[in-house]
Amino acid sequence: MWSELTKAIAHLNIPADWIGIRAVKETASIHFVRDGLPKSNGKYLTTGAMLEVMVNGCLGYAATNSLSLPSLQNAAQIAYKQALAASEWWIYKFNENTRPKVVGEYNSPFLEPFNTISPGEINDLLIRICQKLKINDKIVQTTARINTSEKETWFVSSNGSEVYQKILSLGNHFGAIAQDGAIVQPRTNNGTEANSYQGGWELLKQDHLWSQVEKVSEQALELLTAPECPDTRTNLVLAPDQMMLQIHESVGHPLEIDRILGDERNYAGGSFVTKEDFGQLKYGSSLMNITFDPTVEGEFASYGFDDTGAVATREYVIKEGILQRGLGSLESQSRADLPGVACARASSWNRPAIDRMANLNLEPGNATFEEMISGIEQGVYMESNRSWSIDDRRYKFQFGCEYAKLIENGKLTQTLRNPNYRATTPEFWHSLIQVGNADNWQMYGTPFCGKGEPNQAIWVGHGSPFCVFANVEVFGGG
């Protein structure tokens, strides 16, 4: 691949100020079983390149699924004409500093490559999971899924950039639906598609897999006879698998600088955050410390460089409750005159890179889980996201969970079904009164964060400990 790209970048015949080529090769698979019967066994390979061209301070894009020199030249011509036409009406003029030279390599950690296990063996595992989930006739549906991806990216530019990245990732999901008359309750392993990480087949060979399968099925049945979550204001304890969604929706999306600038307003909405808020907005309590960190080993959205070549580094976006920086690429940082992060990311070779979350994590505090629970006289503990709703400014939200426990006099007592909570983003994060320590910090990931026109589904990772929020409105109802 390197020979084709370096040859192309040297021979592209267009009078541009800067040219970049990002080539991507991805092999992915999906295996899905429902009620013990295989429903999907797919594998696909996609290869292509995105040409990015800067002309008179404007950027143009064009993609091709052929890496031959004529195809790359044709795509470069299209991108050049696009940038040249746009340069008559530019809003902000970029320069070569927006695309600095970078050289480097990143490889996901893994122990067992994907070619060491056959599709038949994968299906056998998924069928066995479904069988283990079916512990009672009231379990009316069981599902199990495994997704894998091996993705290689090459990035070269006319000013000497050469970056190679290889990312192996695996996601697994299983769940059961229990029914007793009109009562229907789902239970999954940590919510929909939350168990996604970088690595190989070793991710499936964990000691807790079968105990987790057993727990999911037992809790699905348990929910059938559980009382509804009460309607009240109380202390709310959220597990890390629900904190994943909380961070994603009420911190990640509002801090995307292109959204703040209005780029996403007609599709994914805007943000209640303004440019003037950075450096001074009290986003939450002093216990709130959020980092953008693509350097965490094994987390789903780790990388060494973003898709424009910016070097990935760990940065605080919120520190001791104060908003520090946005999730903005080199372009957005220039346009907004704000500090950002290495977050220009594209879902594939046929999409331009835009501002995206990567790994966005709540840093641990000092409390153990036992200390948090023991200090609560009345409260509700919730885990595993089931539903979400948030307005187009990422301000008002309502989230539902799969499973809950009542907290009474410092102890987890009866199980509750259909637990939900609602708040506004500032109100909620200001109510953060305890953050768990490093021993109960957990990370999760999802491949389904959607944004952009045309749409791009991107991988994100979120880590968090257990957290306690005071005086939150909780309520029942499925």
Side-chain angles (χ1 to χ4, degrees), residues 207-250:
D207 295 337
H208 68 274
L209 172 62
W210 296 109
S211 61
Q212 182 71 6
V213 171
E214 182 179 7
K215 177 182 174 182
V216 164
S217 57
E218 289 177 348
Q219 289 186 346
L221 292 175
E222 182 185 344
L223 288 166
L224 293 177
T225 57
E228 287 274 325
C229 179
D231 298 352
T232 185
R233 276 193 171 270
T234 190
N235 294 296
L236 173 64
V237 181
L238 293 183
D241 61 0
Q242 174 60 21
M243 286 298 299
M244 167 187 167
L245 187 278
Q246 186 68 57
I247 293 167
H248 183 92
E249 299 292 352
S250 67

Short mmCIF file of all heavy atoms in Angstrom, two decimals, residues 207-250:
data_model
loop_
_atom_site.label_atom_id
_atom_site.label_comp_id
_atom_site.label_asym_id
_atom_site.label_seq_id
_atom_site.Cartn_x
_atom_site.Cartn_y
_atom_site.Cartn_z
N ASP A 207 -13.02 -15.19 32.34
CA ASP A 207 -13.58 -16.11 33.33
C ASP A 207 -15.03 -15.81 33.66
O ASP A 207 -15.80 -16.71 34.02
CB ASP A 207 -12.74 -16.05 34.61
CG ASP A 207 -11.32 -16.57 34.40
OD1 ASP A 207 -11.12 -17.34 33.45
OD2 ASP A 207 -10.43 -16.19 35.19
N HIS A 208 -15.44 -14.54 33.55
CA HIS A 208 -16.78 -14.17 34.00
C HIS A 208 -17.85 -14.33 32.93
O HIS A 208 -19.01 -14.01 33.19
CB HIS A 208 -16.78 -12.73 34.50
CG HIS A 208 -16.57 -11.72 33.41
ND1 HIS A 208 -15.32 -11.34 32.99
CD2 HIS A 208 -17.45 -11.03 32.64
CE1 HIS A 208 -15.44 -10.46 32.01
NE2 HIS A 208 -16.72 -10.26 31.78
N LEU A 209 -17.51 -14.81 31.73
CA LEU A 209 -18.49 -14.87 30.65
C LEU A 209 -19.73 -15.67 31.06
O LEU A 209 -20.86 -15.19 30.96
CB LEU A 209 -17.88 -15.47 29.39
CG LEU A 209 -18.86 -15.76 28.24
CD1 LEU A 209 -19.53 -14.47 27.77
CD2 LEU A 209 -18.16 -16.47 27.09
N TRP A 210 -19.53 -16.89 31.55
CA TRP A 210 -20.68 -17.76 31.82
C TRP A 210 -21.42 -17.34 33.07
O TRP A 210 -22.65 -17.49 33.14
CB TRP A 210 -20.23 -19.21 31.89
CG TRP A 210 -19.69 -19.65 30.56
CD1 TRP A 210 -18.39 -19.91 30.23
CD2 TRP A 210 -20.44 -19.78 29.34
NE1 TRP A 210 -18.29 -20.21 28.90
CE2 TRP A 210 -19.53 -20.15 28.33
CE3 TRP A 210 -21.79 -19.64 29.02
CZ2 TRP A 210 -19.91 -20.37 27.01
CZ3 TRP A 210 -22.18 -19.85 27.70
CH2 TRP A 210 -21.26 -20.21 26.72
N SER A 211 -20.72 -16.77 34.02
CA SER A 211 -21.43 -16.24 35.19
C SER A 211 -22.27 -15.03 34.81
O SER A 211 -23.36 -14.80 35.35
CB SER A 211 -20.44 -15.87 36.30
OG SER A 211 -19.55 -14.85 35.87
N GLN A 212 -21.80 -14.24 33.83
CA GLN A 212 -22.57 -13.10 33.34
C GLN A 212 -23.80 -13.57 32.58
O GLN A 212 -24.89 -12.97 32.71
CB GLN A 212 -21.69 -12.21 32.44
CG GLN A 212 -22.36 -10.97 31.92
CD GLN A 212 -22.60 -9.91 32.98
OE1 GLN A 212 -22.17 -10.05 34.10
NE2 GLN A 212 -23.31 -8.85 32.60
N VAL A 213 -23.67 -14.61 31.78
CA VAL A 213 -24.82 -15.19 31.07
C VAL A 213 -25.88 -15.63 32.08
O VAL A 213 -27.08 -15.36 31.92
CB VAL A 213 -24.38 -16.36 30.18
CG1 VAL A 213 -25.60 -17.10 29.63
CG2 VAL A 213 -23.49 -15.87 29.05
N GLU A 214 -25.46 -16.33 33.11
CA GLU A 214 -26.38 -16.80 34.15
C GLU A 214 -27.07 -15.63 34.84
O GLU A 214 -28.29 -15.65 35.09
CB GLU A 214 -25.61 -17.65 35.16
CG GLU A 214 -26.48 -18.22 36.25
CD GLU A 214 -25.67 -19.07 37.23
OE1 GLU A 214 -24.44 -19.10 37.13
OE2 GLU A 214 -26.30 -19.69 38.13
N LYS A 215 -26.29 -14.60 35.14
CA LYS A 215 -26.84 -13.42 35.83
C LYS A 215 -27.90 -12.73 34.98
O LYS A 215 -28.96 -12.33 35.49
CB LYS A 215 -25.70 -12.46 36.15
CG LYS A 215 -26.13 -11.16 36.80
CD LYS A 215 -24.91 -10.26 37.02
CE LYS A 215 -25.32 -8.89 37.53
NZ LYS A 215 -24.14 -8.00 37.70
N VAL A 216 -27.65 -12.58 33.67
CA VAL A 216 -28.60 -11.92 32.78
C VAL A 216 -29.93 -12.64 32.76
O VAL A 216 -31.00 -12.02 32.87
CB VAL A 216 -28.00 -11.80 31.36
CG1 VAL A 216 -29.08 -11.48 30.33
CG2 VAL A 216 -26.92 -10.72 31.32
N SER A 217 -29.92 -13.94 32.62
CA SER A 217 -31.18 -14.70 32.55
C SER A 217 -31.92 -14.68 33.88
O SER A 217 -33.14 -14.53 33.92
CB SER A 217 -30.91 -16.14 32.11
OG SER A 217 -29.99 -16.78 32.99
N GLU A 218 -31.20 -14.80 34.98
CA GLU A 218 -31.84 -14.79 36.29
C GLU A 218 -32.47 -13.43 36.58
O GLU A 218 -33.57 -13.35 37.13
CB GLU A 218 -30.82 -15.16 37.37
CG GLU A 218 -30.40 -16.62 37.34
CD GLU A 218 -29.34 -16.94 38.37
OE1 GLU A 218 -28.76 -15.98 38.94
OE2 GLU A 218 -29.07 -18.14 38.59
N GLN A 219 -31.77 -12.36 36.20
CA GLN A 219 -32.30 -11.03 36.47
C GLN A 219 -33.49 -10.70 35.56
O GLN A 219 -34.38 -9.95 35.97
CB GLN A 219 -31.21 -9.98 36.35
CG GLN A 219 -30.20 -10.05 37.49
CD GLN A 219 -29.18 -8.93 37.46
OE1 GLN A 219 -29.04 -8.22 36.46
NE2 GLN A 219 -28.46 -8.76 38.54
N ALA A 220 -33.51 -11.24 34.34
CA ALA A 220 -34.67 -11.04 33.47
C ALA A 220 -35.93 -11.60 34.13
O ALA A 220 -37.00 -10.98 34.13
CB ALA A 220 -34.43 -11.70 32.12
N LEU A 221 -35.81 -12.79 34.71
CA LEU A 221 -36.94 -13.39 35.43
C LEU A 221 -37.27 -12.61 36.70
O LEU A 221 -38.45 -12.41 37.04
CB LEU A 221 -36.63 -14.84 35.78
CG LEU A 221 -36.52 -15.83 34.61
CD1 LEU A 221 -36.10 -17.19 35.13
CD2 LEU A 221 -37.85 -15.92 33.87
N GLU A 222 -36.25 -12.18 37.40
CA GLU A 222 -36.43 -11.42 38.64
C GLU A 222 -37.25 -10.15 38.40
O GLU A 222 -38.09 -9.77 39.23
CB GLU A 222 -35.05 -11.07 39.19
CG GLU A 222 -35.01 -10.31 40.49
CD GLU A 222 -33.58 -9.92 40.85
OE1 GLU A 222 -32.63 -10.49 40.27
OE2 GLU A 222 -33.43 -9.02 41.71
N LEU A 223 -37.04 -9.52 37.26
CA LEU A 223 -37.74 -8.27 36.95
C LEU A 223 -39.24 -8.47 36.75
O LEU A 223 -40.02 -7.52 36.91
CB LEU A 223 -37.13 -7.63 35.70
CG LEU A 223 -35.73 -7.00 35.89
CD1 LEU A 223 -35.09 -6.71 34.54
CD2 LEU A 223 -35.83 -5.73 36.72
N LEU A 224 -39.65 -9.67 36.39
CA LEU A 224 -41.08 -9.93 36.15
C LEU A 224 -41.92 -9.72 37.40
O LEU A 224 -43.09 -9.32 37.32
CB LEU A 224 -41.29 -11.34 35.61
CG LEU A 224 -40.74 -11.63 34.22
CD1 LEU A 224 -40.97 -13.10 33.86
CD2 LEU A 224 -41.37 -10.72 33.17
N THR A 225 -41.37 -10.01 38.55
CA THR A 225 -42.12 -9.89 39.80
C THR A 225 -41.69 -8.68 40.63
O THR A 225 -42.19 -8.48 41.74
CB THR A 225 -41.95 -11.16 40.65
OG1 THR A 225 -40.55 -11.39 40.88
CG2 THR A 225 -42.55 -12.37 39.93
N ALA A 226 -40.78 -7.88 40.10
CA ALA A 226 -40.31 -6.71 40.84
C ALA A 226 -41.33 -5.58 40.78
O ALA A 226 -42.04 -5.43 39.77
CB ALA A 226 -38.98 -6.24 40.26
N PRO A 227 -41.43 -4.76 41.82
CA PRO A 227 -42.32 -3.59 41.76
C PRO A 227 -41.74 -2.52 40.85
O PRO A 227 -40.54 -2.50 40.54
CB PRO A 227 -42.36 -3.11 43.21
CG PRO A 227 -41.06 -3.58 43.80
CD PRO A 227 -40.75 -4.88 43.11
N GLU A 228 -42.62 -1.61 40.40
CA GLU A 228 -42.19 -0.49 39.57
C GLU A 228 -41.27 0.44 40.37
O GLU A 228 -41.42 0.60 41.59
CB GLU A 228 -43.40 0.32 39.10
CG GLU A 228 -44.23 -0.35 38.04
CD GLU A 228 -43.69 -0.09 36.64
OE1 GLU A 228 -43.19 1.02 36.38
OE2 GLU A 228 -43.79 -1.01 35.80
N CYS A 229 -40.35 1.06 39.67
CA CYS A 229 -39.53 2.09 40.29
C CYS A 229 -40.45 3.20 40.81
O CYS A 229 -41.37 3.63 40.11
CB CYS A 229 -38.56 2.65 39.26
SG CYS A 229 -37.48 3.98 39.89
N PRO A 230 -40.24 3.69 42.02
CA PRO A 230 -41.11 4.74 42.55
C PRO A 230 -40.89 6.08 41.85
O PRO A 230 -39.82 6.33 41.29
CB PRO A 230 -40.71 4.82 44.02
CG PRO A 230 -39.28 4.36 44.04
CD PRO A 230 -39.20 3.29 42.99
N ASP A 231 -41.90 6.93 41.90
CA ASP A 231 -41.79 8.30 41.39
C ASP A 231 -41.40 9.20 42.56
O ASP A 231 -42.20 9.43 43.48
CB ASP A 231 -43.12 8.77 40.80
CG ASP A 231 -43.56 7.94 39.61
OD1 ASP A 231 -42.77 7.09 39.15
OD2 ASP A 231 -44.70 8.13 39.15
N THR A 232 -40.17 9.69 42.53
CA THR A 232 -39.69 10.47 43.67
C THR A 232 -38.44 11.25 43.29
O THR A 232 -37.91 11.07 42.19
CB THR A 232 -39.37 9.53 44.86
OG1 THR A 232 -39.01 10.31 46.00
CG2 THR A 232 -38.24 8.57 44.52
N ARG A 233 -38.00 12.10 44.17
CA ARG A 233 -36.68 12.72 44.07
C ARG A 233 -35.80 12.09 45.15
O ARG A 233 -36.19 12.06 46.33
CB ARG A 233 -36.74 14.23 44.27
CG ARG A 233 -37.08 14.99 43.01
CD ARG A 233 -36.84 16.48 43.16
NE ARG A 233 -36.97 17.16 41.89
CZ ARG A 233 -35.98 17.36 41.04
NH1 ARG A 233 -34.76 16.92 41.34
NH2 ARG A 233 -36.17 17.99 39.89
N THR A 234 -34.65 11.61 44.76
CA THR A 234 -33.85 10.85 45.70
C THR A 234 -32.39 10.80 45.25
O THR A 234 -32.03 11.33 44.20
CB THR A 234 -34.42 9.42 45.84
OG1 THR A 234 -33.78 8.76 46.94
CG2 THR A 234 -34.21 8.62 44.57
N ASN A 235 -31.57 10.15 46.05
CA ASN A 235 -30.19 9.89 45.66
C ASN A 235 -30.18 8.81 44.58
O ASN A 235 -30.86 7.79 44.70
CB ASN A 235 -29.37 9.40 46.86
CG ASN A 235 -29.22 10.46 47.92
OD1 ASN A 235 -28.61 11.50 47.69
ND2 ASN A 235 -29.79 10.21 49.10
N LEU A 236 -29.41 9.06 43.53
CA LEU A 236 -29.33 8.12 42.41
C LEU A 236 -27.89 7.62 42.28
O LEU A 236 -26.95 8.43 42.17
CB LEU A 236 -29.76 8.81 41.11
CG LEU A 236 -29.59 8.02 39.82
CD1 LEU A 236 -30.47 6.77 39.81
CD2 LEU A 236 -29.89 8.89 38.60
N VAL A 237 -27.73 6.31 42.28
CA VAL A 237 -26.42 5.70 42.06
C VAL A 237 -26.43 5.05 40.69
O VAL A 237 -27.31 4.22 40.39
CB VAL A 237 -26.10 4.64 43.14
CG1 VAL A 237 -24.72 4.03 42.89
CG2 VAL A 237 -26.17 5.26 44.53
N LEU A 238 -25.50 5.44 39.84
CA LEU A 238 -25.41 4.89 38.49
C LEU A 238 -24.19 4.00 38.35
O LEU A 238 -23.08 4.38 38.75
CB LEU A 238 -25.36 6.01 37.45
CG LEU A 238 -26.61 6.87 37.29
CD1 LEU A 238 -26.42 7.89 36.17
CD2 LEU A 238 -27.85 6.02 37.02
N ALA A 239 -24.40 2.83 37.75
CA ALA A 239 -23.30 1.91 37.45
C ALA A 239 -22.51 2.41 36.24
O ALA A 239 -23.02 3.20 35.44
CB ALA A 239 -23.86 0.51 37.18
N PRO A 240 -21.27 1.97 36.08
CA PRO A 240 -20.45 2.43 34.95
C PRO A 240 -21.07 2.18 33.59
O PRO A 240 -20.86 2.97 32.66
CB PRO A 240 -19.15 1.64 35.12
CG PRO A 240 -19.05 1.39 36.59
CD PRO A 240 -20.46 1.17 37.03
N ASP A 241 -21.85 1.10 33.42
CA ASP A 241 -22.43 0.84 32.10
C ASP A 241 -23.54 1.84 31.75
O ASP A 241 -23.82 2.05 30.57
CB ASP A 241 -22.90 -0.61 31.95
CG ASP A 241 -23.98 -1.02 32.94
OD1 ASP A 241 -24.40 -0.18 33.77
OD2 ASP A 241 -24.42 -2.19 32.89
N GLN A 242 -24.17 2.48 32.74
CA GLN A 242 -25.11 3.56 32.47
C GLN A 242 -24.39 4.91 32.41
O GLN A 242 -24.78 5.80 31.64
CB GLN A 242 -26.22 3.60 33.51
CG GLN A 242 -27.17 4.80 33.39
CD GLN A 242 -27.90 4.86 32.05
OE1 GLN A 242 -28.04 3.86 31.36
NE2 GLN A 242 -28.39 6.04 31.68
N MET A 243 -23.33 5.06 33.17
CA MET A 243 -22.53 6.29 33.08
C MET A 243 -21.96 6.46 31.68
O MET A 243 -21.76 7.59 31.21
CB MET A 243 -21.40 6.24 34.11
CG MET A 243 -21.86 6.48 35.54
SD MET A 243 -22.61 8.10 35.80
CE MET A 243 -21.26 9.19 35.37
N MET A 244 -21.72 5.35 30.99
CA MET A 244 -21.27 5.42 29.60
C MET A 244 -22.22 6.26 28.76
O MET A 244 -21.81 7.18 28.05
CB MET A 244 -21.18 4.01 29.02
CG MET A 244 -21.01 3.95 27.52
SD MET A 244 -21.11 2.26 26.91
CE MET A 244 -21.27 2.57 25.15
N LEU A 245 -23.52 5.97 28.85
CA LEU A 245 -24.51 6.71 28.08
C LEU A 245 -24.64 8.15 28.58
O LEU A 245 -24.77 9.10 27.80
CB LEU A 245 -25.86 5.98 28.15
CG LEU A 245 -27.05 6.43 27.31
CD1 LEU A 245 -27.81 7.58 27.92
CD2 LEU A 245 -26.67 6.71 25.87
N GLN A 246 -24.56 8.32 29.90
CA GLN A 246 -24.68 9.65 30.50
C GLN A 246 -23.56 10.57 30.01
O GLN A 246 -23.80 11.73 29.64
CB GLN A 246 -24.64 9.54 32.02
CG GLN A 246 -24.90 10.84 32.74
CD GLN A 246 -26.32 11.32 32.58
OE1 GLN A 246 -27.26 10.62 32.92
NE2 GLN A 246 -26.49 12.53 32.06
N ILE A 247 -22.35 10.08 30.02
CA ILE A 247 -21.21 10.86 29.55
C ILE A 247 -21.34 11.15 28.06
O ILE A 247 -21.12 12.28 27.60
CB ILE A 247 -19.90 10.09 29.83
CG1 ILE A 247 -19.65 10.01 31.34
CG2 ILE A 247 -18.71 10.77 29.15
CD1 ILE A 247 -18.57 9.02 31.73
N HIS A 248 -21.73 10.14 27.31
CA HIS A 248 -21.83 10.28 25.86
C HIS A 248 -22.80 11.39 25.45
O HIS A 248 -22.46 12.26 24.65
CB HIS A 248 -22.29 8.95 25.27
CG HIS A 248 -22.36 8.93 23.78
ND1 HIS A 248 -21.31 8.52 23.01
CD2 HIS A 248 -23.35 9.27 22.92
CE1 HIS A 248 -21.64 8.62 21.73
NE2 HIS A 248 -22.88 9.08 21.65
N GLU A 249 -24.00 11.35 26.02
CA GLU A 249 -25.05 12.25 25.57
C GLU A 249 -24.97 13.64 26.19
O GLU A 249 -25.27 14.64 25.52
CB GLU A 249 -26.43 11.64 25.87
CG GLU A 249 -26.70 10.31 25.18
CD GLU A 249 -26.84 10.44 23.66
OE1 GLU A 249 -26.88 11.57 23.15
OE2 GLU A 249 -26.92 9.39 23.00
N SER A 250 -24.60 13.73 27.47
CA SER A 250 -24.68 15.03 28.14
C SER A 250 -23.33 15.71 28.31
O SER A 250 -23.28 16.83 28.82
CB SER A 250 -25.36 14.87 29.51
OG SER A 250 -24.57 14.11 30.41
#
